[in-house]
Amino acid sequence: VQLQASGGGLVQAGGSLRLSCTASGRTFSSRSMGWFRQAPGKEREFVAISTWRRNTNYADSVKGRFTISRDNAKNTVYLQMDSLKPEDTAVYYCVASRVGTAGYDYWGQGTLVTVSS
């Protein structure tokens, strides 16, 4: 599975961005899709997941501000990020699971989000 993420950029605090990630292949709807992020000098951390069973889960730090969604017809998962904070600055990575699981087996190249104060 190849993942292509896009949508990163520079935004002021309080603003919004939407990240997109398109996956290759024909089994997108049977995979869990999610997002991780890595801030400078910090470890990579979980952000959100949309499971193949259509459940969603979020890190506490983004609950109520970020929304993950997916369009199976377009093989694309989205991360709508609202009320952005400087601490959301990071490289955001798209992840995909193996078919019928909720793991993090395939990783995209990352897209940089910078939130200015």
Side-chain angles (χ1 to χ4, degrees):
V1 176
Q2 293 185 335
L3 304 172
Q4 182 68 45
S6 62
L10 174 64
V11 64
Q12 288 187 333
S16 299
L17 279 177
R18 188 178 79 158
L19 305 183
S20 301
C21 175
T22 300
S24 63
R26 300 181 179 182
T27 54
F28 181 85
S29 64
S30 299
R31 299 183 187 274
S32 298
M33 301 294 298
W35 295 90
F36 276 67
R37 68 185 182 185
Q38 186 167 19
K42 295 188 177 181
E43 294 186 352
R44 194 171 295 186
E45 64 176 2
F46 168 79
V47 175
I49 187 171
S50 170
T51 73
W52 68 283
R53 294 183 181 272
R54 305 302 178 261
N55 298 317
T56 58
N57 192 26
Y58 297 90
D60 288 343
S61 59
V62 307
K63 278 181 182 177
R65 301 188 298 120
F66 290 12
T67 303
I68 190 170
S69 61
R70 60 196 295 163
D71 185 337
N72 289 335
K74 295 182 178 180
N75 276 21
T76 301
V77 63
Y78 303 97
L79 185 68
Q80 177 66 42
M81 305 185 294
D82 299 319
S83 302
L84 283 161
K85 304 175 181 180
E87 52 263 44
D88 295 317
T89 294
V91 176
Y92 284 71
Y93 296 91
C94 175
V95 298
S97 75
R98 294 189 180 96
V99 170
T101 70
Y104 313 119
D105 303 298
Y106 305 96
W107 292 76
Q109 86 288 0
T111 185
L112 176 62
V113 173
T114 303
V115 184
S116 63
S117 57

